[in-house]
Amino acid sequence: MLKRRTLLAAAGVALGALAAVPAAAQETVKVGLILPMTGPFASTGRQVSAGAKTFLEMKGDTVAGKKIELIIRDDAGVADQTRRIAQELVVNEGVKLLAGGGLTPLAMAVAPVATQAKVPMIVTSAGTASITKASPFITRTSGTLPQYSLPVGTWAAENGIKKVVTLVSDYGPGIDAEKWFSKEFKGKGGEIIEAVRVPLANPDFAPFLQRVRDAKPDAVFVFLPSGAGALFMKQFADRGLPEAGVKLIATGDVTDDDILNSMGKPALGTITGHFYATAHDSPENKAYVEAFTKANDNMRPNFMSVGGYDSMALIYAALEKTNGDVSGPAFMEAVKGMSWTSPRGPVSIDPETRDIIQNIYMREVKELDGELHNVEFATFKDLKDPEKAEAN
Ligand code: PHB
């Protein structure tokens, strides 16, 4: 009798222990956020991670009975590192969701890992249209270069600009920007007189700006990745392009809110198209900017930070829909067609392409309360990525 009771008691302990382990393990969902936290694109990592953390601070770290644990890793902007870290997080750390992709090559490096492991990857930053085609497990909360370059072409053609030189970083997003600005601008009667591509790494814009000046266009259309705009703006002014009558039009990556204020007077009057401005006027953005600046020593949130914030918004909305099921196929089904109100305005995920549908705003750099801001003056509503719309 004694023996039997002891055995039962022991079994009870063992069963209890067994039951406790999977329950505890299920309650935490690890999200691997891989970003360039060091190196030339560290501002992207700083902004995206701060945006994601702001979401958790504002909404709490629990959704559908799961505790969300963010694991932030630095790839230093090197694609081989991104892939290695993604693999390590999935295989050794039990990460169920991946996010990040600070630059196109870094996002592309994660695609085979996402496909093989069936782990969803939410691209927070990179903007080359083809990224979402690289894996059925990729979705995106930034935007695509075709999506926000096309409206700049519309605006230019409708606002008296006849001749343009394009100047873009020579890799995926730059080539997408050049193609879609030019296609739209030419379609509406404009002329592209030269297409200049500059290296991504350590660019010196001076010789390229001389070419632009010599071509005597009405305007130069520019795409450069977040962070590179400050040096460009300085060299644009130093080379005397404003005095030569060359207007600057660009994607909003160039007048990135993170560095805009430090660009000073030369930036005033620059016209850009993009999906987010710190000065966007909405209650959601007001609350976001307030929480973000408070938590980050008054740093201004830029569009990268909103990509990070919305990656968490999408994860929360999807997990609510799946009742906490984080398996890849269930999560990706839930993501398709999901809509929510972002600090940038209304957004949704295109169920066919898994890319984001959003407003693109035309903005002008102006002084507001003694600081430089991208001030919105027109809205292109609910734009899909035109590259994929064209292919369908
Ligand atoms: C990209 O590499 O796709 C990229 C990087 C920075 C940007 C936009 C796109 O601001």
Side-chain angles (χ1 to χ4, degrees):
M1 191 66 197
L2 183 71
K3 199 173 167 202
R4 198 167 157 237
R5 223 182 291 145
T6 312
L7 267 177
L8 275 177
V13 168
L15 274 177
L18 268 180
V21 172
Q26 267 166 16
E27 273 160 22
T28 295
V29 171
K30 291 184 182 177
V31 179
L33 183 55
I34 313 171
L35 293 165
M37 302 301 294
T38 55
F41 298 100
S43 67
T44 295
R46 192 179 65 225
Q47 285 276 348
V48 174
S49 57
K53 284 188 201 158
T54 299
F55 184 92
L56 297 187
E57 275 154 28
M58 290 174 79
K59 314 285 176 182
D61 64 0
T62 308
V63 60
K66 310 277 171 175
K67 188 173 151 43
I68 302 295
E69 186 191 338
L70 258 189
I71 302 181
I72 299 171
R73 288 282 160 84
D74 177 18
D75 62 18
V78 179
D80 283 347
Q81 299 257 38
T82 320
R83 178 176 292 129
R84 188 185 53 70
I85 294 167
Q87 246 152 7
E88 201 258 328
L89 288 178
V90 168
V91 175
N92 300 336
E93 295 271 351
V95 157
K96 295 291 183 229
L97 301 166
L98 291 165
L103 294 156
T104 290
L106 312 181
M108 290 304 249
V110 177
V113 180
T115 303
Q116 227 175 16
K118 296 190 167 55
V119 168
M121 157 72 170
I122 301 156
V123 175
T124 59
S125 312
T128 303
S130 58
I131 291 171
T132 40
K133 288 199 212 152
S135 168
F137 290 92
I138 290 183
T139 180
R140 169 154 45 195
T141 55
S142 46
T144 79
L145 267 297
Q147 185 182 44
Y148 58 82
S149 301
L150 185 154
V152 187
T154 315
W155 182 87
E158 290 175 355
N159 284 274
I161 293 171
K162 304 263 186 276
K163 291 182 180 179
V164 166
V165 173
T166 58
L167 185 152
V168 301
S169 287
D170 191 6
Y171 76 121
I175 290 156
D176 273 2
E178 178 192 283
K179 175 180 165 188
W180 284 90
F181 169 83
S182 302
K183 189 175 151 86
E184 174 70 5
F185 183 60
K186 288 197 285 191
K188 289 201 153 35
E191 192 188 342
I192 303 292
I193 54 177
E194 204 172 332
V196 179
R197 294 180 181 176
V198 302
L200 173 63
N202 307 312
D204 172 13
F205 301 107
F208 301 104
L209 285 167
Q210 192 57 47
R211 271 171 66 189
V212 174
R213 211 189 144 143
D214 293 345
K216 297 192 172 39
D218 300 321
V220 56
F221 166 78
V222 182
F223 163 79
L224 300 168
S226 178
L231 175 65
F232 176 84
M233 200 60 85
K234 183 178 181 317
Q235 294 190 322
F236 185 79
D238 288 351
R239 289 264 133 188
L241 275 92
E243 292 77 13
V246 181
K247 188 162 181 54
L248 178 57
I249 58 178
T251 67
D253 310 77
V254 176
T255 57
D256 180 346
D257 276 302
D258 193 25
I259 49 175
L260 178 60
N261 217 17
S262 70
M263 290 181 191
K265 289 231 159 13
L268 283 169
T270 305
I271 301 288
T272 61
H274 216 267
F275 59 78
Y276 178 73
T278 316
H280 178 71
D281 188 13
S282 74
E284 291 81 12
N285 190 45
K286 194 161 179 275
Y288 174 60
V289 173
E290 204 175 292
F292 184 99
T293 47
K294 209 163 131 194
N296 293 283
D297 203 16
N298 276 328
M299 175 165 79
R300 220 194 240 192
N302 72 359
F303 63 93
M304 289 292 184
S305 81
V306 174
Y309 178 92
D310 279 330
S311 68
M312 294 301 130
L314 179 56
I315 288 173
Y316 274 48
L319 291 188
E320 263 164 17
K321 201 165 157 189
T322 64
N323 273 325
D325 183 353
V326 286
S327 67
F331 184 91
M332 292 310 295
E333 256 332 284
V335 152
K336 293 175 188 172
M338 186 64 75
S339 64
W340 70 100
T341 305
S342 158
R344 72 186 95 176
V347 297
S348 66
I349 300 296
D350 187 333
E352 269 139 45
T353 65
R354 291 164 274 105
D355 240 320
I356 191 163
I357 301 174
Q358 59 188 339
N359 293 344
I360 298 302
Y361 307 93
M362 292 304 302
R363 310 96 51 86
E364 177 176 354
V365 177
K366 287 186 175 174
E367 208 170 298
L368 280 186
D369 302 327
E371 294 200 350
L372 296 190
H373 274 280
N374 291 296
V375 179
E376 295 165 2
F377 63 82
T379 305
F380 290 75
K381 277 201 184 317
D382 301 330
L383 293 192
K384 290 187 177 189
D385 172 46
E387 177 94 21
K388 282 173 222 90
E390 182 190 54
N392 286 336

